[in-house]
Amino acid sequence: MNGENFTLCEKIVSSSYIRQGLQARRSHEQLIRHLLEQGKCPEEGWSENTIELFLNELAVMDSNNFLGNCGVGEREGRVASSLVARRHYRLIHGIGRSGDIAAIQPKAAGSSLLNKLTNSVLLDILKITGVRSLASCFVVPMATGMSLTLCFLTLRHRRPKARYIIWPRIDQKSCFKAMITAGFEPVVVENALEGDELRTDLEAVEHKIEELGAENILCVHSTTSCFAPRVPDRIEELAAMCAKYNIPHIVNNAYGVQSSKCMHLIQQGARVGRIDAFVQSLDKNFLVPVGGAIIAGFDESFIQEISKMYPGRASASPSLDVLITLLTLGASGYKKLLSERKEIYLFLAQELKSLASAHGERLLHTPHNPISLAMSLDGLQAESNKAVTQLGSMLFTRQVSGARVVPLGNEQTISGHTFRGFMSHSEAYPCPYLNAASAVGITREDVTLCIKRLDKCLKTLKKERSLAKSSSPEPPTDQEAASVE
């Protein structure tokens, strides 16, 4: 209600009560005004009442919610189910226009404002988490893989002769298929084993650049967040190499926003060399449903070029979800989640190390991976690969999700390329292992319960092996064999 309506209310209810209500209303409006003025994530989170008031104010600015609207077009924001309309806060028009996902929609001022504000708030958050010199970012309603594809397709127009993408190996299907889908040939560079860690082989990358010719390479496609024992790529060195050879550099930062180390690597890479764009998932970093990603970069014109490459309008759901989440948490709430994640990483490492020691295994030494940990499974591998994979099945049926069991010798063919030692990021990693990660939102209770169930599974497998050995007949001695003859 506006001031005039509040004045009219004073004729119906005591003016002192109405003024109190007006003051309460203004406290909500002041928060909204600050958001509109600054375009930054509020330091403290908002109440649900404030968020719903704000979203309802945006919704009434869209033509599908105009009281006297008469729509005669093919897209008028019509929705058959009121449940669906409420789920989307009646923001039905989506974001962007046919030529640009960031464009303003004349029929949907509220949805357009939602889109602009979400991108602005996320720009602030990415700066807070470590990439201070970031110039631009936008939400795209696709997960990380397809968002990477969009970046590669945009680069195609800048480098029409390029055929290859140089890619330090990471055994994750979607980032590999992103390059194939864009129509390029991935050049897989095997990682170098340093201690327990798998690290970027910089000499091999540079050799490939010189062998193929810089003009034939679309970009270097590097990775930050990953499963141990692989660790984040040497982003600074790769960025410097890309600047030296004038080759674009795209970084897959899938769940790296939650790690200050990953974000620092990107900031430093941009400072010393070249990073054209980096892509991160919304669900993995901001605790929202799957379906969105952020494309960000240090050259605003290139990021705008990527947004214009997206064909048609787009769903506003990912933007709406992440805006609601960040307004609920506030910057301080999100930073608290990131701090808790770091603490639990140390707790998880300690618990895994103790468990590994109790079972004759060890926690692999991977200090450059700030999110994922790995524990050896040599004892199980001594029996067979079957015992290793059985552990993974046992954990899953006991409701331990996210743990990855990696046996030796797996092969996987993806789009015609065969990966030996698939899942281990290496053709011949020395031992099988189990992965666990401390990702944003994890709790100490999650770790405690996981360790308890993992311990029980390992004990069960050990007992089964002992029973199998005792029940199998022993081979006859030389004396017994001679007496039979």
Side-chain angles (χ1 to χ4, degrees), residues 290-303:
V290 172
I294 309 165
I295 299 176
F298 304 90
D299 178 359
E300 187 171 1
S301 65
F302 180 59
I303 300 305

Side-chain angles (χ1 to χ4, degrees), residues 25 46 109 142 227 242 275 323 335 342 344 380 408 421 476:
R25 166 86 184 201
W46 291 4
M142 305 184 294
F227 295 119
C242 287
I275 293 179
L323 182 62
K335 286 185 282 189
K342 275 188 178 180
I344 294 175
L380 293 183
L408 297 181

Side-chain angles (χ1 to χ4, degrees), residues 465-475:
R465 294 201 308 273
S466 298
L467 288 173
K469 284 182 179 179
S470 62
S471 62
S472 61
E474 294 185 5

Side-chain angles (χ1 to χ4, degrees), residues 318-451:
S319 298
L320 180 60
D321 290 341
V322 74
L323 182 62
I324 289 172
T325 299
L326 289 174
L327 291 178
T328 300
L329 291 171
S332 62
Y334 188 62
K335 286 185 282 189
K336 183 181 178 184
L337 281 176
L338 301 189
S339 176
E340 289 171 352
R341 186 208 70 77
K342 275 188 178 180
E343 292 174 7
I344 294 175
Y345 173 85
L346 298 175
F347 177 59
L348 175 61
Q350 179 185 346
E351 292 294 293
L352 268 180
K353 186 175 182 179
S354 299
L355 179 68
S357 178
H359 288 275
E361 302 290 352
R362 66 188 183 91
L363 181 68
L364 301 184
H365 186 60
T366 56
H368 291 97
N369 193 316
I371 299 173
S372 177
L373 295 158
M375 183 185 96
S376 70
L377 295 175
D378 285 314
L380 293 183
Q381 185 68 40
E383 299 297 321
S384 67
N385 260 1
K386 184 178 179 182
V388 176
T389 55
Q390 187 181 352
L391 175 62
S393 300
M394 292 173 72
L395 289 170
F396 184 76
T397 56
R398 286 158 180 76
Q399 298 182 3
V400 177
S401 60
R404 296 169 73 251
V405 172
V406 181
L408 297 181
N410 272 355
E411 279 198 11
Q412 178 84 43
T413 299
I414 306 171
S415 301
H417 185 93
T418 299
F419 291 87
R420 294 179 176 83
F422 187 72
M423 292 176 65
S424 68
H425 321 287
S426 169
E427 289 194 343
Y429 195 74
C431 70
Y433 56 86
L434 175 139
N435 278 130
S438 175
V440 66
I442 192 173
T443 64
R444 292 178 73 91
E445 291 73 21
D446 289 329
V447 174
T448 300
L449 198 53
C450 169
I451 295 297

